[in-house]
Amino acid sequence: MPARTSKSTEKPPPFDPASTGTLNPSDTLKLLALPDTDLPQPPKDLGLEALHRATVVQLPLGVGYATREGQFIWCNEAFEMMLGLAPGEYRDRTIAELTHKDDAQANDELQRDLWAGRIKSYSIEKRYVKRDGGELWVRVSAAMVRTSEGNPVCSVGFLEDISARKKMEEEIERVQKALVDASRLAGMAEVATNVLHNVGNVLNSVNVSASVLAEKLKSSKGARLGEVAALLRRHRDDLPGFMARDPRAAKIPDYLAALAAQLAGEREAMLKELEELRGHLDHIKETVTMQQTYARRCGVVEEVAVVDLVEDALRMNSGALTRHRVAVQRDFLDTPRITTDKHKVLQILVNLLRNAKYACDESSAPEKLVRIRIEQVLDEVWISVIDNGVGIDPEVMPRLFTHGFTTRKSGHGFGLHGAALAATELGGSLTAHSEGVGRGATFRLCLPLPRRGGTP
Ligand SMILES: Nc1ncnc2c1ncn2[C@@H]1O[C@H](COP(=O)(O)OP(=O)(O)OP(=O)(O)O)[C@@H](O)[C@H]1O
Ligand SMILES: [Mg+2]
């Protein structure tokens, strides 16, 4: 986590840049006593030293004064305790020495701006290194101490220990990442589940084809040919006599001709069935290969036709869509190519199509329809999945993309959350729209198109 900074660029009063601002404690105390203001004056018996102690020394914030070179001039007890320094040990240290090396440059630049008068004050969240080597996250608010003429004397920094908050932020970041990973895995599982669904469906068709073939073979008239052959074999020694005398022999030519015609028909039907079987097997092979391609290519950015991605996503959902009698309409107004992580886009589209299928399934609309629209709008491609399903209650709309939000009994509420994150990672966005309950829904994935003559 890098240092966070903010600065006030309001110009400080003019000063003499040649002034290096050497400070001794009594000058500091004089300045801190605010002699020329109309603030309530300290009680008479409270000397300047006591006033200083009462304000700065005992402040629960760390306070440190430093020279232009960053050498500490004076620090309060809270400062020493925060950094685990022995009393007075700060005198041998500079700001740069105590600052974590990763935050040193940012801090150094701010100190230089402050001393050069480019900024009036700054605030930075940075790490100090404690005496025992441990890190301490602090927010430092720093400003200049100036003479009444505006000349810089020293810089003053107020340190607030923010390590507890930082720890919490890190924890939140860790949990967030774990959620993202879980969503992504859920997305992958979604893709894999769809592949299995599809393969399962096609295997059903394979089974049907195989049974039809077996049935055809069983009932084939081809077996009767054996009977004719056996009859002829029995009269092998006097075939001319058999042909001339036996009434069965006279029927043989016609019988053989009819059988030949029948066998040709059977053969044709079986070839057709075999062709279908091969088609089903190819479909399985294709689906598995596609899944492997996506699994392997996860994280790889490549050029791809948007239409191909949409078709792949449809293929992965085709089983479920057909089974639930959901018609698919393709409105491909444009057919651009984009440079993207195919797997992420597929994960999003598979989720959207699955959700659309569920929405249609739960609706009482007689004609269930999912439309996919691809259009090019300025420098983006919009892929919209539009269904005429149950629609979305405007009340739940704000929670739609929240991790864990689901209205389905078997839902997880991971799909849209993961899809929206993936869309952002691709430099795009995912939005939802619905006219309300019973009025269908539109989910739109916007992805950047490659810039003319360059990558997106
Ligand atoms: N096309 C849609 N039409 C109507 N409601 C939808 C649609 N898509 C999503 N929703 C609503 O948004 C909720 C969250 O969707 P999301 O995909 O994140 O989770 P899910 O589908 O419930 O579960 P899963 O994690 O298994 O995908 C759904 O439960 C549903 O209420
Ligand atoms: Mg879902």
Side-chain angles (χ1 to χ4, degrees):
M1 215 183 282
R4 277 191 219 153
T5 61
S6 68
K7 35 191 172 183
S8 158
T9 49
E10 190 193 323
K11 286 278 181 223
F15 67 94
D16 172 9
S19 164
T20 54
T22 50
L23 183 96
N24 61 50
S26 62
D27 284 343
T28 309
L29 293 177
K30 268 185 217 150
L31 282 156
L32 290 168
L34 307 166
D36 296 325
T37 70
D38 48 13
L39 287 172
Q41 290 301 303
K44 287 274 177 295
D45 60 344
L46 198 61
L48 289 178
E49 189 102 16
L51 174 70
H52 184 212
R53 197 178 307 280
T55 53
V56 183
V57 178
Q58 289 168 8
L59 214 59
L61 293 175
V63 182
Y65 297 89
T67 65
R68 185 190 285 268
E69 290 72 35
Q71 181 75 51
F72 285 108
I73 303 164
W74 187 89
C75 297
N76 71 353
E77 209 179 309
F79 184 101
E80 290 173 334
M81 283 181 54
M82 276 179 175
L83 294 176
L85 297 173
E89 197 183 341
Y90 59 79
R91 288 194 196 93
D92 304 331
R93 306 295 179 94
T94 64
I95 298 176
E97 278 167 5
L98 289 180
T99 300
H100 189 284
K101 65 177 179 17
D102 291 348
D103 299 337
Q105 193 187 347
N107 197 86
D108 193 43
E109 277 169 16
L110 288 168
Q111 272 294 108
R112 265 187 278 136
D113 285 349
L114 190 67
W115 277 90
R118 287 189 285 272
I119 55 173
K120 197 176 172 190
S121 63
Y122 69 81
S123 171
I124 180 172
E125 288 185 2
K126 66 169 198 175
R127 282 155 293 181
Y128 267 123
V129 180
K130 294 196 280 192
R131 194 168 193 244
D132 63 7
E135 283 180 11
L136 177 76
W137 269 104
V138 288
R139 189 213 316 275
V140 179
S141 305
M144 289 303 298
V145 176
R146 296 172 185 283
T147 62
S148 52
E149 293 81 43
N151 291 331
V153 177
C154 64
S155 68
V156 58
F158 294 87
L159 275 69
E160 184 193 347
D161 183 344
I162 55 166
S163 38
R165 201 198 79 207
K166 281 286 168 189
K167 207 163 163 218
M168 207 144 75
E169 278 178 11
E170 271 165 22
E171 184 63 11
I172 289 171
E173 206 168 286
R174 195 187 60 74
V175 172
Q176 181 75 13
K177 193 174 170 302
L179 283 181
V180 170
D181 288 349
S183 303
R184 194 166 295 142
L185 279 178
M188 283 293 291
E190 190 96 319
V191 171
T193 308
N194 276 286
V195 168
L196 287 182
H197 270 325
N198 249 338
V199 170
N201 266 346
V202 184
L203 275 177
N204 264 344
S205 311
V206 167
N207 240 339
V208 170
S209 291
S211 313
V212 168
L213 275 174
E215 209 41 54
K216 278 202 164 39
L217 277 174
K218 231 189 282 166
S219 61
S220 171
K221 299 280 185 293
R224 311 281 305 266
L225 193 59
E227 292 169 22
V228 179
L231 186 66
L232 291 177
R233 203 178 300 126
R234 274 204 300 278
H235 300 277
R236 189 173 14 200
D237 301 334
D238 180 26
L239 265 185
F242 168 69
M243 295 303 277
R245 284 188 307 271
D246 199 308
R248 285 176 299 174
K251 291 187 191 145
I252 287 179
D254 287 346
Y255 180 71
L256 283 181
L259 196 60
Q262 190 143 11
L263 286 179
E266 274 179 16
R267 184 172 171 274
E268 203 173 307
M270 280 199 266
L271 279 178
K272 210 166 136 236
E273 204 58 57
L274 272 174
E275 200 50 47
E276 265 184 35
L277 190 61
R278 190 180 311 144
H280 297 324
L281 290 174
D282 277 351
H283 190 173
I284 292 179
K285 211 169 77 190
E286 214 176 85
T287 312
V288 172
T289 312
M290 196 159 63
Q291 158 74 357
Q292 282 170 340
T293 314
Y294 282 109
R296 228 184 0 252
R297 302 244 169 142
C298 184
V300 176
V301 167
E302 59 199 305
E303 198 192 305
V304 61
V306 175
V307 171
D308 289 350
L309 282 177
V310 168
E311 289 295 351
D312 281 354
L314 278 170
R315 212 164 302 150
M316 287 192 171
N317 278 285
S318 68
L321 289 166
T322 320
R323 208 167 42 248
H324 295 269
R325 295 195 176 75
V326 179
V328 174
Q329 183 181 316
R330 293 163 170 82
D331 296 339
F332 297 167
L333 309 185
D334 296 294
T335 53
R337 295 180 74 80
I338 53 171
T339 305
T340 194
D341 178 342
K342 275 164 70 164
H343 173 264
K344 282 203 182 114
V345 180
L346 188 83
Q347 179 200 328
I348 298 169
L349 295 178
V350 163
N351 271 297
L352 295 184
L353 283 169
R354 256 172 65 101
N355 282 348
K357 187 220 75 185
Y358 280 121
C360 287
D361 220 21
E362 290 162 11
S363 115
S364 52
E367 307 279 321
K368 300 174 199 301
L369 178 69
V370 173
R371 285 192 294 139
I372 309 207
R373 192 180 162 96
I374 306 175
E375 60 199 308
Q376 210 164 309
V377 180
L378 298 175
D379 53 355
E380 284 186 334
V381 55
W382 291 359
I383 310 169
S384 306
V385 177
I386 308 155
D387 66 68
N388 65 350
V390 284
I392 303 166
D393 184 338
E395 285 220 329
V396 308
M397 206 50 136
R399 283 181 289 150
L400 214 59
F401 293 94
T402 316
H403 186 266
F405 174 78
T406 182
T407 55
R408 292 196 294 108
K409 215 188 270 168
S410 59
H412 307 95
F414 289 173
L416 286 181
H417 180 76
L421 282 176
T424 313
E425 283 167 9
L426 294 170
S429 62
L430 179 64
T431 50
H433 175 79
S434 171
E435 294 290 319
V437 174
R439 310 194 49 191
T442 298
F443 283 81
R444 179 181 291 153
L445 171 64
C446 304
L447 293 173
L449 283 170
R451 280 204 213 107
R452 235 176 266 256
T455 46

